[in-house]
Amino acid sequence: MINLDKIKEISKTSATKIVLLVIDGLGGLPNPETGKTELETAYTPNLDGLAAKSICGLADPVSPGVTPGSTPGHLALFGYNPTSFNIGRGVAEALGIDFDLEPKDIAARGNFCSVDKAGLVTDRRAGRISTEQNLKLCRLLDGLAIDGVKIIVRPVREHRFVAIFRGEGLSADIGDSDPQWVGVVPKAITALSPEASRMASIASQFVAQAKEVLAEHHPANMVLLRGFSRRPKLPTMDEIYKLKPAAITSYPMYRGLAKMVGMEILKTGTTIEDEFQALRQNYTSYDFFFLHIKETDTAGEDGDFDRKVAVIEEIDRALPGMTALLPDVIVVTGDHSTPALLRAHSWHSLPVLLYSKWCRPDRVNEFSEPACISGGLGRFLATQIMLLAMANALKLDKFGA
Amino acid sequence: MINLDKIKEISKTSATKIVLLVIDGLGGLPNPETGKTELETAYTPNLDGLAAKSICGLADPVSPGVTPGSTPGHLALFGYNPTSFNIGRGVAEALGIDFDLEPKDIAARGNFCSVDKAGLVTDRRAGRISTEQNLKLCRLLDGLAIDGVKIIVRPVREHRFVAIFRGEGLSADIGDSDPQWVGVVPKAITALSPEASRMASIASQFVAQAKEVLAEHHPANMVLLRGFSRRPKLPTMDEIYKLKPAAITSYPMYRGLAKMVGMEILKTGTTIEDEFQALRQNYTSYDFFFLHIKETDTAGEDGDFDRKVAVIEEIDRALPGMTALLPDVIVVTGDHSTPALLRAHSWHSLPVLLYSKWCRPDRVNEFSEPACISGGLGRFLATQIMLLAMANALKLDKFGA
């Protein structure tokens, strides 16, 4: 495989434009009654017509057999090897609430939990307290300062929050306090390297203070922290591909990720049609668009086969509003599969179509998992999609003499 | 690609069971008269029926174009990159005779050879002496002790034996004595690193003593040693996959390999039906079964196309005795190809079928090399088979947040 440094050397700007349409959790599994996946079931004349002019294939975000979380799934689509660029749990959680992490911040995922008088964890989720209650408790903890480090506490949902440690000389190299089990005391937070000892001490003091503050708030009378992490330093898409990239997505997590790779975040409403509208409004100002649609994944996670089908059909109806712009390269795929039957992300490979004037179409004329198997891209790694898009946009020089 | 350490982090136990059926040397080449490979020729209604419910593909154990030995072929199937975990010639030979190597043992492959009065090698194989003669000569050499190191000598077949050096502070980092040519003297055994100088001296003394002992036993009046090696330290399948794995194979080499990755070796007779019987008898006690059938490879190496076809048909008849157990995941493949036409291992990719409730079947309904080309797994690395099996057994957590 070619690495990012090599891509930097051969990438070049040009007037062409690329649209990457990511249908979150697109891949599915066949409905036992019909033998057809969500994508096969959906009536998609526009996607099928596009597939007929495209080169198709099946892609794996991390590896065959590996179920990607949303961050590795998207990093792969942007061409970043998700096993090299790891986004910690704390950072992912901060992205998920649109919190703007500064480069030196350390973020941790927090749970409100219940402990008994002896300090043993009795419920790691404090009975899933309401989000309103969470909000109130976060206000009690937010803004503590320890040894010159400010601790910012922000609610997520139910028992979940994010704790951000902001100050100089911090390290993310410390262990969790979450023991992952009940009936034991929370783990002491320990430094995993000598440089992290101050950070371990600050995090421990925060936990101790939180315990005092929450003492009378049973069931949420303690906190558990895990996944201490710092925003990874990623080369931007401008640096690698010399692109001017923009993101259209109505979910905070994906906005955060897109920002991390240097995309401009475009204003958009929350419907599918809103997002296509945002693309049209901004089409002249950028040369790469990441257009992200979340509802397919949500329907898959809810186990709602029919709703996932309906969302795919809605995307299909909106598609002409994108193809009419005549992008030089169009890629349609997902970030991972979310089969309604599994009600979760899965390892199944992703259908991919890539259209350009230069794509060398194969004989696939239907956009579906079983049809893409016979596509000209074969089965390949999703990290190669950006290279293919760049090549088809004539934005890559020859490699080697 | 994801490495073993990452797999350790995401693997988990569950009640599901995996059966990996390895048909040794399965892949073939078309008979010039019929245009069909051994597998295409064989009447295999059960394998074809399973393929129809499965996801299929073609796998390469090491790389497209590389012919694997039996050890790399199997390591790949167990998920170990065969270019990272090298099993030396001496160790492979010891495994092949069911010799239980201790962690510190150094094993070397030995040849009885002929030398003339000047000490020049005249026949590297001593005229391929009989195995009986080999046995007698090994008894003469077995049990020598040099500088506190015991040398164990065990016959293999014809002129081949294994020498095991057992003692403290030994090193495998020494050169061969086998010059690979006749008309020259055996090479002096040299240390390839400073730590290995004592080992080089012990091995040299052993060769000198062997020469004396064998002086009157022409044509087998000298020995040549090569491939000094130590059992590699492999993480076990329990450590990586959290599996309780068992092996069913009637050949020592494969038992040795299976033991090296932490499998329990189950008692079995030597016929195909015996092996399926052993699977049924032990089915409740393990969650992973490596079921190995050797005869296809032997028939291929003998150039016996029809016998290879017949063995495949025998396996097909035995198959219902396995599928009736309703394993959650079934993988059927080979460790390498052994086309009868080539009478040897070959580089040709392996047909693979993977059945599970969650496999997302493709449109392949016949288990053969040309049919698997259109399978949903595409062409992929055999090292990914275990990941796919684990995923389909729902034994892997999501990767990344």
Side-chain angles (χ1 to χ4, degrees):
Chain A
M1 255 301 281
I2 188 162
N3 63 27
L4 297 183
D5 285 335
K6 283 275 183 298
I7 300 173
K8 271 184 204 176
E9 285 172 28
I10 58 173
S11 65
K12 61 184 176 188
T13 51
S14 77
T16 56
K17 287 177 195 282
I18 300 169
V19 175
L20 170 65
L21 171 57
V22 178
I23 305 176
D24 204 302
L26 176 61
L29 276 174
N31 189 319
E33 281 168 32
T34 65
K36 292 184 169 187
T37 66
E38 296 89 324
L39 182 55
E40 279 181 286
T41 306
Y43 174 67
T44 53
N46 294 313
L47 284 167
D48 294 343
L50 192 56
K53 297 193 290 176
S54 298
I55 185 165
C56 297
L58 286 179
D60 294 281
V62 180
S63 159
V66 173
T67 297
S70 295
T71 56
H74 275 85
L75 284 179
L77 291 178
F78 304 150
Y80 299 74
N81 183 344
T83 60
S84 314
F85 296 103
N86 186 27
I87 294 187
R89 163 71 58 165
V91 171
E93 211 72 27
L95 295 179
I97 56 162
D98 240 346
F99 186 90
D100 244 329
L101 282 177
E102 297 185 0
K104 291 177 180 170
D105 288 350
I106 307 290
R109 153 78 186 265
N111 272 17
F112 288 106
C113 72
S114 314
V115 292
D116 64 16
K117 277 182 183 159
L120 305 180
V121 178
T122 55
D123 183 340
R124 284 183 57 247
R125 298 180 183 88
R128 292 191 185 274
I129 51 166
S130 71
T131 303
E132 293 72 45
Q133 178 66 3
N134 178 336
L135 194 70
K136 280 183 211 156
L137 297 176
C138 282
R139 279 203 204 107
L140 300 178
L141 300 181
D142 185 40
L144 291 176
I146 298 168
D147 190 15
V149 173
K150 187 178 165 193
I151 293 121
I152 304 162
V153 177
R154 291 280 179 276
V156 180
R157 219 159 51 97
E158 299 178 334
H159 57 284
R160 290 156 52 190
F161 66 87
V162 192
I164 297 105
F165 296 77
R166 181 168 287 173
E168 292 302 313
L170 299 182
S171 161
D173 201 16
I174 63 175
D176 298 344
S177 80
D178 189 339
Q180 300 285 346
W181 299 98
V182 294
V184 294
V185 295
K187 292 203 287 189
I189 295 176
T190 54
L192 304 178
S193 62
E195 307 79 61
S197 62
R198 176 166 164 257
M199 177 67 200
S201 151
I202 291 168
S204 302
Q205 291 175 58
F206 168 71
V207 169
Q209 294 193 18
K211 190 176 183 182
E212 275 178 41
V213 170
L214 298 172
E216 303 304 316
H217 293 271
H218 187 84
N221 61 350
M222 182 51 167
V223 297
L224 299 175
L225 300 179
R226 61 188 161 117
F228 289 89
S229 44
R230 170 174 277 152
R231 209 178 81 182
K233 197 161 163 41
L234 295 167
T236 66
M237 290 183 83
D238 170 33
E239 287 163 4
I240 302 165
Y241 304 114
K242 305 185 182 75
L243 289 170
K244 194 177 170 198
I248 302 168
T249 169
S250 54
Y251 271 66
M253 225 297 277
Y254 308 94
R255 281 198 292 271
L257 259 177
K259 253 187 268 177
M260 244 192 304
V261 296
M263 291 190 204
E264 196 87 25
I265 310 300
L266 302 183
K267 251 183 124 155
T268 178
T270 56
T271 71
I272 291 171
E273 191 39 48
D274 287 341
E275 295 198 7
F276 279 83
Q277 178 67 20
L279 174 69
R280 289 190 290 273
Q281 284 166 347
N282 293 278
Y283 191 67
T284 53
S285 309
Y286 303 88
D287 56 9
F288 177 91
F289 297 89
F290 158 52
L291 179 52
H292 174 258
I293 292 164
K294 176 68 179 171
E295 289 71 16
T296 26
D297 178 57
T298 316
E301 295 222 325
D302 290 348
D304 194 335
F305 192 98
D306 295 340
R307 200 171 92 230
K308 191 169 161 195
V309 170
V311 176
I312 295 171
E313 291 182 343
E314 190 184 341
I315 297 167
D316 192 78
R317 285 192 298 274
L319 202 71
M322 181 255 275
T323 51
L325 298 167
L326 305 178
D328 300 275
V329 178
I330 299 170
V331 177
V332 184
T333 187
D335 57 335
H336 53 77
S337 292
T338 307
L341 264 80
L342 278 173
R343 294 173 168 268
H345 289 200
S346 79
W347 63 92
H348 300 90
S349 56
L350 298 165
V352 180
L353 74 75
L354 186 153
Y355 163 78
S356 93
K357 191 175 164 185
W358 312 111
C359 72
R360 194 163 78 189
D362 47 37
R363 292 170 181 171
V364 174
N365 48 28
E366 167 202 331
F367 189 50
S368 74
E369 298 88 343
C372 283
I373 291 170
S374 325
L377 293 173
R379 185 151 179 175
F380 68 114
L381 279 174
T383 45
Q384 298 168 341
I385 289 174
M386 269 305 295
L387 265 182
L388 287 161
M390 290 286 291
N392 276 276
L394 306 183
K395 290 181 193 289
L396 288 182
D397 276 329
K398 191 162 65 176
F399 173 78
Chain B
M1 254 300 281
I2 187 161
N3 62 28
L4 296 184
D5 284 335
K6 284 271 185 301
I7 300 173
K8 271 184 207 178
E9 284 172 29
I10 59 174
S11 65
K12 61 182 176 191
T13 50
S14 76
T16 55
K17 288 178 194 280
I18 300 170
V19 175
L20 171 64
L21 171 58
V22 178
I23 305 176
D24 204 301
L26 176 62
L29 278 174
N31 188 320
E33 282 168 32
T34 63
K36 290 184 172 185
T37 67
E38 296 90 324
L39 182 54
E40 278 181 286
T41 306
Y43 175 66
T44 52
N46 294 314
L47 285 166
D48 294 344
L50 193 56
K53 296 192 292 176
S54 297
I55 185 165
C56 298
L58 286 178
D60 295 282
V62 180
S63 158
V66 173
T67 298
S70 295
T71 54
H74 275 86
L75 283 180
L77 291 179
F78 303 150
Y80 299 75
N81 183 344
T83 62
S84 315
F85 295 101
N86 187 30
I87 293 189
R89 162 71 61 163
V91 170
E93 212 71 27
L95 294 180
I97 55 163
D98 240 346
F99 185 89
D100 244 330
L101 283 175
E102 296 185 359
K104 291 176 179 171
D105 288 349
I106 307 289
R109 152 77 185 265
N111 273 16
F112 288 106
C113 71
S114 313
V115 292
D116 63 14
K117 278 181 182 159
L120 305 180
V121 178
T122 56
D123 184 340
R124 283 183 57 247
R125 296 180 186 86
R128 288 190 188 275
I129 52 165
S130 70
T131 302
E132 292 72 45
Q133 178 65 4
N134 179 334
L135 195 69
K136 279 184 213 159
L137 298 176
C138 282
R139 278 201 205 108
L140 299 178
L141 301 180
D142 185 41
L144 290 175
I146 297 167
D147 190 13
V149 173
K150 187 178 166 193
I151 294 119
I152 303 162
V153 178
R154 291 282 181 275
V156 180
R157 220 159 51 99
E158 298 177 334
H159 57 284
R160 289 155 54 191
F161 66 87
V162 193
I164 298 105
F165 296 76
R166 181 169 288 172
E168 291 302 312
L170 299 181
S171 163
D173 202 17
I174 62 175
D176 297 344
S177 81
D178 188 340
Q180 299 285 346
W181 299 97
V182 294
V184 294
V185 294
K187 293 202 289 187
I189 295 175
T190 55
L192 304 177
S193 62
E195 306 79 61
S197 61
R198 176 166 165 257
M199 178 69 201
S201 152
I202 291 168
S204 302
Q205 291 175 59
F206 169 71
V207 169
Q209 293 192 20
K211 191 176 182 182
E212 274 178 40
V213 171
L214 298 172
E216 303 306 316
H217 292 272
H218 186 85
N221 62 350
M222 182 50 168
V223 297
L224 299 175
L225 299 179
R226 62 188 160 116
F228 289 88
S229 44
R230 171 175 277 152
R231 209 179 80 182
K233 196 160 164 42
L234 295 167
T236 66
M237 291 182 81
D238 170 32
E239 286 163 6
I240 302 166
Y241 305 114
K242 304 184 183 74
L243 288 171
K244 195 177 170 200
I248 302 168
T249 169
S250 53
Y251 271 66
M253 219 308 270
Y254 308 94
R255 280 199 292 269
L257 259 177
K259 253 187 267 176
M260 243 192 308
V261 295
M263 291 191 207
E264 196 88 23
I265 311 300
L266 302 184
K267 254 183 125 156
T268 178
T270 56
T271 71
I272 291 172
E273 192 39 48
D274 287 342
E275 295 198 7
F276 278 83
Q277 178 66 20
L279 173 69
R280 288 189 291 273
Q281 283 165 347
N282 293 278
Y283 191 67
T284 53
S285 308
Y286 303 87
D287 55 10
F288 177 90
F289 296 89
F290 158 52
L291 179 53
H292 175 260
I293 292 164
K294 176 70 179 169
E295 289 72 17
T296 27
D297 179 57
T298 317
E301 296 221 324
D302 290 348
D304 194 335
F305 192 97
D306 295 341
R307 201 170 93 232
K308 192 170 162 194
V309 170
V311 176
I312 295 170
E313 291 181 344
E314 191 184 341
I315 297 167
D316 192 78
R317 286 192 298 273
L319 202 70
M322 181 255 276
T323 51
L325 298 168
L326 305 178
D328 300 276
V329 178
I330 300 170
V331 178
V332 184
T333 187
D335 57 335
H336 53 74
S337 293
T338 308
L341 263 82
L342 277 173
R343 294 172 167 270
H345 289 198
S346 78
W347 64 91
H348 300 90
S349 56
L350 298 165
V352 180
L353 74 73
L354 185 153
Y355 163 78
S356 93
K357 188 176 166 186
W358 310 110
C359 71
R360 195 162 79 190
D362 47 37
R363 291 165 184 175
V364 174
N365 49 29
E366 168 201 329
F367 190 50
S368 73
E369 298 88 342
C372 283
I373 292 172
S374 324
L377 294 172
R379 186 152 177 174
F380 68 114
L381 282 173
T383 45
Q384 297 167 342
I385 289 174
M386 270 305 296
L387 266 181
L388 286 160
M390 290 285 293
N392 275 276
L394 306 183
K395 289 180 192 291
L396 288 181
D397 277 328
K398 190 162 69 172
F399 173 80

